[in-house]
Amino acid sequence: MPYFCGIDIGASAAKLMIVDHQRQPVAKAVRRSGIDYAATARRCLDEALQAAGLTESQIESSTSTGYGRDNVAWACGRMTEIACHGKGAFHFYRRAMTVIDIGAQDSKVIHLDDHGFRTSFRMNRKCAAGTGAFLEEIAYRLDLPLSDLNGLAERSTKESSLGSFCTVFAATEILEKIRSGEKIEDIVKGAFRSVVKRVLEMDTIDGMLVMTGGVAAYNPALVRLIEESFGAAVCVPPDPQLIGALGAALFALEAAEKGPTQC
Amino acid sequence: MPPTERKDFETTKKLREVMGNYFADLGRGAAEGKKTAWCTSVGPAELLWALGFNVYFPENHAAMLGASRMATDLIPLANARGFSPDICSYLTSDVGAYLKGESPLQKMKLSGPPKPDVLVFNTNQCRDVKDWFQFYGREFGVPCFGVHTPRSIGPIDDALVDYVGSQIENLVPLLEPIAGQKLDPACLREVIGISKQTTILWKAVLETAANAPSPLSFFDCTVQMGPAVVMRGLKETLAYYEALLAELKQRVAAGVGAVKGERHRIYWEGMPIWGKLSSLGGQFLQLKTCVVASTYCNSWIFEALDPADPFRSMARAYSSIFICRADDRKEAYIEQMVDRFKVDGILYHDSKTCPNNSNNRYGLPQRMQKKLGKPYLVVNGDLNDLRLYSEEQTRTNIEAFVEQLSQG
């Protein structure tokens, strides 16, 4: 049975997904991208192959995506993360939708029609505001593990408002709030709100609203703020952080369906 | 992706010589008793040539600072002198170069830009040119004159032509004493006639891109446009564009495209990103996508020039350029270009420090998409300040846009 692999080397994490010929996930791997993307991709592949009990020769085709997409020599094809997040999200819902992907370094708003064709997309500007990098900076400033942010935001009873557009200035604002005795959980919720505001101003939404990416995966409180701000229910597919990798695997499968692939 | 070879023009070999001679003339000017006028690129250069001035264009110099990637290191020097990082990075890089005494012209054995005897600007492009030229007026202690063209111009009516034309004409008594000669009306008519011929040839060059595959791309044009901007009133320009046009016609006849295997055709709206022309051009080659036309390269087409009506026709020509027109005119222009060049999608460059050349900021792309049904992409960057440019985001945006054009 042939298998298909998608590898998404993001700014922070590398994600890999293997699917079978019926588009069903059979294995996955997530690691920090690190500084040697090629080595990270190889380790992800080995890990997933081992978990699924597969050998590399059973992978008929692979597609790479993400910032490190050019560093995966063994991938037959490559697509942008915009294409892959759209493809992966459409796999689950198969209707016109707006996909919001908040990654470590960029945010994307992707519009798909009811055939899954992309009608438009936006990426954030050259600025970390509205991305996972913003939350990483805030966690650092508050001397907290990144994984604690969601729990804190959930406990907030009074949201702090961050007015600054810029990550660096927002961090300064946070210092001021700490000095004035505001609660950490309220500050964290304010930081989540700041990310949501940056996404809100990127584009309008139409169709169903889907969220993908690492930020949605680990921060349900932020997903709820997105729902609140856009006034629409948000669907989060399984393994939201791996949707780009899934989309890449599906592109690999579709390329193979069109004819033999040459890796 | 493997690198894809860019197909250069034979004629380009002559371009270095043509431009080299122009700059050499500028360098020798003072020693030969010639006066030098600095002029904005869509300023009344014809009048200056007719008065015997050597004409130098700071915008051309600033573009060279951008293309040579010197600009980003020079801009902070101007920022420290009170020129904000948010204003025109042509201005700030050029002023920075002046303050540091550096210039790409030094590679051409010039000490730098020729010292001006007078500066003449036209605000048809923006207000920044006024502040830019007035800075040099103070620095060099020479007169700085301006033509104040309105912005958001609708129809080019008589009132406008009278207003701008009279300003150009009123420059004559101010410039004659500096030039040391009276204006010879026959000479002005001749220069305007040459500029008109240059315009006709330059337009013909650009319009060869209407063919599929296009024999030239926006990235070629940003290089080829040099003489059309800085030498448009000089006879030697005509021979250059005649040769280029002939080569382009050969390419068209032979079916040779600027982009091998051209699959998609894009319109570039906004300024070039001068320091990234090579890498962007390479990316489009790899994506088999040709940027076939642009607002920018078409902005030095002055069809209204008329030797029989010098001042008013200069007013009409220089007030007709895209940048100073009302949005409905801009939209009609883009629509016409998309149709003429069989464009699949539009790329808008939001140039951070050049609001006047960033037409994505008031909903125009959305309106055009609704009207034309063509997808668009906004790329955030800058004409010269590469601190405002993200290599990776731009690369991904463009790649994703071409993916979108390839769907279905």
Side-chain angles (χ1 to χ4, degrees):
Chain A
M1 184 193 291
Y3 294 89
F4 305 90
C5 176
I7 171 97
D8 176 5
I9 309 274
S12 176
K15 291 81 65 177
L16 183 142
M17 180 80 90
I18 296 173
V19 300
D20 65 19
H21 68 290
Q22 291 180 313
R23 300 172 179 252
Q24 294 306 308
V26 296
K28 63 188 179 186
V30 179
R31 305 181 76 91
R32 286 197 68 80
S33 296
I35 54 171
D36 185 345
Y37 290 169
T40 302
R42 169 52 62 184
R43 279 196 282 274
C44 284
L45 179 62
D46 291 344
E47 185 183 324
L49 288 172
Q50 191 178 6
L54 298 173
T55 61
E56 195 171 348
S57 62
Q58 289 174 276
I59 305 293
E60 185 173 324
S61 180
S62 332
T63 295
S64 60
T65 188
Y67 280 121
R69 60 188 177 275
D70 291 333
N71 299 87
V72 187
W74 46 267
C76 310
R78 51 164 225 174
M79 298 293 288
T80 65
E81 50 271 39
I82 291 145
C84 291
H85 277 272
K87 174 71 78 181
F90 192 78
H91 171 75
F92 287 101
Y93 305 107
R94 310 198 74 76
R95 70 188 79 160
M97 67 177 76
T98 303
V99 183
I100 296 175
D101 166 50
I102 307 179
Q105 195 160 294
D106 58 44
S107 301
K108 311 166 199 79
V109 180
I110 307 159
H111 293 271
L112 303 177
D113 67 14
D114 51 11
H115 301 290
F117 289 130
R118 191 180 345 135
T119 54
S120 69
F121 69 95
R122 302 276 183 282
M123 279 178 81
N124 60 311
R125 296 176 183 207
K126 186 192 176 189
C127 175
T131 71
F134 174 80
L135 296 177
E136 284 178 1
E137 173 68 17
I138 299 306
Y140 172 75
R141 289 281 174 174
L142 295 174
D143 199 18
L144 292 168
L146 194 58
S147 55
D148 283 5
L149 295 188
N150 186 68
L152 285 163
E154 300 269 15
R155 290 199 294 278
S156 167
T157 52
K158 178 178 165 292
E159 182 180 324
S160 286
S161 174
L162 295 177
S164 297
F165 199 89
C166 164
T167 303
V168 176
F169 289 147
T172 310
E173 241 187 302
I174 281 172
L175 294 178
E176 172 56 30
K177 288 182 187 303
I178 293 170
R179 270 198 296 273
S180 63
E182 293 200 27
K183 289 181 184 171
I184 295 295
E185 49 264 44
D186 295 338
I187 296 172
V188 170
K189 190 171 180 188
F192 276 21
R193 179 75 72 186
S194 173
V195 171
V196 171
K197 281 182 190 169
R198 300 289 82 79
V199 175
L200 188 68
E201 68 203 11
M202 282 172 66
D203 203 355
T204 56
I205 59 163
D206 46 47
M208 74 179 297
L209 186 54
V210 177
M211 276 192 81
T212 64
V215 170
Y218 298 109
N219 300 287
L222 191 144
V223 174
R224 280 197 295 283
L225 291 180
I226 288 272
E227 288 184 320
E228 233 178 82
S229 296
F230 281 95
V234 170
C235 295
V236 180
D239 284 328
Q241 192 181 13
L242 280 110
I243 292 300
L246 171 66
L250 296 175
F251 274 119
L253 184 151
E254 288 175 9
E257 283 174 349
K258 285 179 187 164
T261 51
Q262 291 182 336
C263 298
Chain B
M1 275 192 185
T4 306
E5 196 182 340
R6 176 173 171 270
K7 193 162 175 56
D8 212 347
F9 292 94
E10 278 299 307
T11 319
T12 306
K13 291 171 189 162
K14 292 181 193 164
L15 182 62
R16 195 163 290 171
E17 183 188 331
V18 169
M19 294 295 286
N21 290 342
Y22 162 75
F23 286 115
D25 283 348
L26 288 179
R28 284 193 302 267
E32 292 177 352
K34 292 269 282 187
K35 301 286 186 178
T36 298
W38 288 17
C39 188
T40 51
S41 65
V42 196
E46 286 75 11
L47 175 60
L48 299 167
W49 277 308
L51 280 163
F53 286 105
N54 275 346
V55 185
Y56 164 82
F57 297 87
E59 284 155 83
N60 172 247
H61 188 250
M64 287 194 277
L65 291 169
S68 60
R69 289 185 287 280
M70 296 167 72
T72 303
D73 291 336
L74 298 168
I75 290 166
L77 302 177
N79 298 154
R81 288 277 286 255
F83 291 102
S84 162
D86 294 330
I87 66 164
C88 170
S89 62
Y90 265 6
L91 184 164
T92 49
S93 50
D94 192 60
V95 167
Y98 166 78
L99 294 170
K100 200 173 182 188
E102 285 187 0
S103 167
L105 298 178
Q106 287 158 353
K107 286 187 181 161
M108 300 180 202
K109 295 176 185 163
L110 271 73
S111 58
K115 187 178 172 302
D117 295 290
V118 65
L119 303 121
V120 182
F121 63 83
N122 186 345
T123 61
N124 52 355
Q125 295 176 97
C126 59
R127 66 154 281 171
D128 296 61
V129 294
K130 172 177 68 71
D131 296 273
W132 186 357
F133 277 46
Q134 287 176 342
F135 167 80
Y136 286 123
R138 291 189 294 273
E139 287 293 310
F140 290 109
V142 297
C144 180
F145 304 128
V147 177
H148 297 267
T149 302
R151 310 218 18 101
S152 291
I153 297 169
I156 309 289
D157 56 21
D158 284 347
L160 176 89
V161 172
D162 288 345
Y163 174 64
V164 177
S166 62
Q167 289 186 65
I168 300 173
E169 196 161 4
N170 289 340
L171 290 173
V172 175
L174 299 172
L175 291 168
E176 283 177 337
I178 302 165
Q181 66 182 70
K182 286 280 181 190
L183 177 67
D184 175 359
C187 183
L188 180 59
R189 284 196 295 273
E190 186 189 351
V191 173
I192 289 178
I194 295 168
S195 271
K196 178 74 180 267
Q197 289 178 67
T198 301
T199 266
I200 291 166
L201 283 166
W202 178 234
K203 185 179 180 188
V205 162
L206 294 173
E207 292 212 330
T208 61
N211 291 281
S214 168
L216 82 170
S217 77
F218 168 66
F219 301 99
D220 298 316
C221 295
T222 54
V223 176
Q224 298 294 345
M225 68 192 287
V229 177
V230 302
M231 300 173 63
R232 59 182 183 263
L234 306 178
K235 277 180 187 158
E236 46 271 44
T237 307
L238 303 177
Y240 180 74
Y241 285 122
E242 280 162 1
L244 178 61
L245 184 58
E247 188 178 351
L248 284 162
K249 285 178 176 172
Q250 282 172 8
R251 275 196 182 190
V252 171
V256 175
V259 171
K260 198 174 175 186
E262 176 190 293
R263 287 189 307 177
H264 305 293
R265 298 164 67 84
I266 285 181
Y267 183 78
W268 184 289
E269 204 320 285
M271 291 297 291
I273 303 169
W274 287 108
K276 293 291 168 183
L277 287 180
S278 176
S279 59
L280 288 170
Q283 186 184 11
F284 279 108
L285 277 176
Q286 288 177 341
L287 295 168
K288 297 191 184 303
T289 298
C290 189
V291 181
V292 291
S294 66
T295 308
Y296 183 73
C297 293
N298 277 270
S299 292
W300 283 269
I301 292 174
F302 307 118
E303 291 181 294
L305 288 176
D306 178 3
D309 188 11
F311 295 107
R312 289 173 58 82
S313 78
M314 285 166 73
R316 193 171 284 112
Y318 296 148
S319 303
S320 299
I321 57 172
F322 183 92
I323 190 171
C324 63
R325 305 306 298 277
D327 268 16
D328 60 335
R329 309 281 157 166
K330 290 181 177 177
E331 289 174 25
Y333 181 84
I334 293 172
E335 183 175 359
Q336 181 196 328
M337 296 294 276
V338 164
D339 181 53
R340 185 192 297 265
F341 290 92
K342 299 180 279 292
V343 165
D344 302 315
I346 304 174
L347 185 156
Y348 295 87
H349 172 206
D350 187 334
S351 184
K352 180 76 166 69
T353 69
C354 187
N356 295 296
N357 267 316
S358 298
N359 286 292
N360 62 299
R361 298 183 182 181
Y362 297 89
L364 186 144
Q366 287 82 353
R367 293 198 297 277
M368 294 308 292
Q369 185 180 36
K370 201 170 172 188
K371 195 170 182 183
L372 305 177
K374 303 282 183 188
Y376 73 89
L377 171 70
V378 175
V379 165
N380 294 106
D382 193 59
L383 62 169
N384 265 17
D385 192 344
L386 294 179
R387 295 173 301 181
L388 302 165
Y389 177 79
S390 163
E391 188 91 45
E392 180 52 39
Q393 277 186 317
T394 307
R395 185 174 77 101
T396 298
N397 262 309
I398 290 172
E399 203 171 318
F401 188 55
V402 173
E403 281 173 351
Q404 190 176 325
L405 296 177
S406 304
Q407 294 177 129

